[in-house]
């Protein structure tokens, strides 16, 4: 159990660290995500080539997985865009809007009743983001991108909920990330037309960080989560991932001294968001008990 908990929190830490890498890599957000998907897909393909175990699925399911992969790619592009136009801390706080969108998307797609307490907590998180927007208007574009990113992040697990019963998690991850890579590759000529970039090839430093992002923050983090699931319930895993923005913001404060550029509005908004996480955690804990 101790090893499983360490694996879980290592995975969450790596997920939080991906935001730091988004600022370190000089490529624009679209190219950054394309290279992340390319490195991750190639790595997983090599793993399946040597170990086997890649599950075959029907064409109709492939199309659903492709659409879900496109959602993941778009979420990442918007998330890293939020980092580029604001900073790591603001992007991670905006990610907290995922609860608000999940409160409506899950009942709509999975055909269950709306939980109005979840709506309330999600609205409080939105209020926290509004406080940051109100006091830190220089980040308005980054905040807008971060909120839209959280919408796609909320949609991703809901779509996966209907797919995962037909395919193993390892195969699903490979197909989704490869699907995201295909969609982004087809979209790249149009994307670069609107957002031209001086260079599409990463520098030596960028490529090193992209390898860290692809191998450690994606492939390794995913495998650590799977190892943790052998001993820990999915409920505990999902609940623990509420710490991802906290880890990421602490890292941003340490690495980039971002606390020097944030106003009191940021801390008021962050406090309100952390309160909603604590209330929802307490509610889920007693419901589970």
């Amino acid at each position: 159990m101790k090893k499983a908990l360490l694996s879980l929190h290592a995975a969450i830490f790596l997920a939080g660290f991906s935001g730091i890498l988004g600022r370190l890599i000089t490529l624009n957000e679209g190219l950054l995500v394309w290279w992340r998907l390319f490195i991750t897909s190639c790595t997983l393909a090599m793993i399946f080539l040597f170990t086997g175990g890649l599950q075959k699925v029907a064409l109709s399911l492939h199309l659903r997985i492709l659409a879900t992969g496109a959602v993941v790619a778009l979420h990442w592009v918007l998330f890293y865009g939020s980092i580029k136009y604001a900073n790591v801390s603001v992007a991670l706080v905006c990610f907290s809007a995922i609860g608000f969108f999940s409160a409506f998307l899950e009942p709509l797609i999975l055909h269950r009743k709306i939980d109005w307490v979840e709506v309330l907590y999600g609205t409080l998180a939105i209020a926290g983001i509004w406080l940051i927007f109100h006091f830190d208007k220089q980040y308005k574009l980054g905040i807008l991108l971060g909120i839209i990113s959280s919408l796609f992040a909320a949609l991703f697990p809901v779509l996966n909920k209907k797919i995962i019963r037909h395919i193993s998690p390892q195969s699903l991850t490979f197909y989704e990330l490869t699907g995201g890579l295909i969609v982004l590759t087809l979209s790249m000529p149009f994307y670069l037309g609107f957002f031209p970039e001086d260079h599409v090839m990463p520098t030596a430093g960028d490529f090193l960080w992209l390898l860290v992002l692809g191998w450690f923050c994606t492939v390794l983090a995913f495998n650590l989560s799977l190892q943790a699931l052998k001993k820990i319930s999915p409920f505990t895993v999902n609940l623990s991932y509420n710490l991802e923005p906290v880890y990421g913001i602490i890292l941003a404060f340490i690495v980039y001294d971002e606390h020097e550029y944030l106003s009191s509005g940021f801390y008021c908004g962050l406090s309100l968001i952390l309160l909603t996480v604590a209330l929802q955690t307490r509610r889920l804990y007693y419901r589970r008990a």
Side-chain angles (χ1 to χ4, degrees), residues 27-43:
L27 293 170
N28 71 22
E29 56 279 2
L31 289 169
L32 186 159
V33 174
W34 187 92
W35 280 102
R36 179 182 187 177
L37 288 169
F38 177 76
I39 291 170
T40 305
S41 297
C42 290
T43 302

Side-chain angles (χ1 to χ4, degrees), residues 55 57-58 60-72 109-110 155-169 171-173 175-176:
Q55 187 176 342
V57 297
S60 59
L61 187 57
H62 263 304
L63 294 175
R64 290 167 58 188
I65 293 172
L66 180 70
T68 307
V71 168
V72 175
I109 296 175
L110 299 181
L155 183 59
F156 168 63
V158 179
L159 294 176
N160 259 351
K161 185 84 171 179
K162 304 185 77 172
I163 298 174
I164 193 66
R165 66 189 69 168
H166 304 292
I167 185 172
S168 69
S171 297
L172 178 59
T173 299
Y175 286 134
E176 281 183 346

Side-chain angles (χ1 to χ4, degrees), residues 25-241:
I25 297 167
T26 60
L27 293 170
N28 71 22
E29 56 279 2
L31 289 169
L32 186 159
V33 174
W34 187 92
W35 280 102
R36 179 182 187 177
L37 288 169
F38 177 76
I39 291 170
T40 305
S41 297
C42 290
T43 302
L44 290 173
M46 292 298 293
I47 291 173
F48 279 120
L49 181 64
F50 286 102
T51 64
L54 182 61
Q55 187 176 342
K56 294 182 179 180
V57 297
L59 177 61
S60 59
L61 187 57
H62 263 304
L63 294 175
R64 290 167 58 188
I65 293 172
L66 180 70
T68 307
V71 168
V72 175
L74 189 53
H75 156 61
W76 278 347
V77 169
L78 292 165
F79 174 72
Y80 287 115
S82 179
I83 291 174
K84 302 288 186 180
Y85 288 100
N87 57 43
V88 179
S89 302
V90 168
L92 285 168
V93 166
C94 290
F95 186 77
S96 302
I98 188 173
F100 176 80
F101 294 119
S102 295
F104 293 101
L105 287 174
E106 190 172 340
L108 179 65
I109 296 175
L110 299 181
H111 307 292
R112 69 166 178 82
K113 291 184 179 179
I114 292 178
D115 187 331
W116 292 104
V117 176
E118 290 181 0
V119 173
L120 173 62
Y121 290 164
T123 304
L124 287 175
I126 293 292
I129 295 171
W130 179 85
L131 282 173
I132 297 169
F133 179 83
H134 180 70
F135 287 98
D136 290 319
K137 292 184 179 179
Q138 70 269 30
Y139 299 134
K140 60 182 180 181
L141 179 57
I143 290 172
L144 178 61
L145 292 174
I147 292 174
I148 300 174
S149 168
S150 70
L151 169 61
F152 287 99
L155 183 59
F156 168 63
V158 179
L159 294 176
N160 259 351
K161 185 84 171 179
K162 304 185 77 172
I163 298 174
I164 193 66
R165 66 189 69 168
H166 304 292
I167 185 172
S168 69
Q170 296 90 338
S171 297
L172 178 59
T173 299
F174 172 71
Y175 286 134
E176 281 183 346
L177 296 183
T178 304
L181 177 63
I182 293 170
V183 171
L184 198 55
T185 300
L186 295 174
S187 306
M188 195 54 67
F190 305 98
Y191 180 86
L192 292 176
F194 286 101
F195 305 99
E197 182 76 355
D198 294 333
H199 61 286
V200 297
M201 296 297 293
T203 63
D206 282 345
F207 192 71
L208 174 63
W209 293 124
L210 283 165
L211 288 177
V212 174
L213 184 61
W215 288 348
F216 293 93
C217 298
T218 310
V219 176
L220 179 59
F222 176 74
N223 285 331
L224 286 171
S225 294
L226 287 179
Q227 290 176 24
L229 276 171
K230 293 178 181 178
K231 294 287 185 179
I232 299 174
S233 69
F235 168 80
T236 304
V237 171
N238 291 334
L239 205 58
S240 298
Y241 263 92

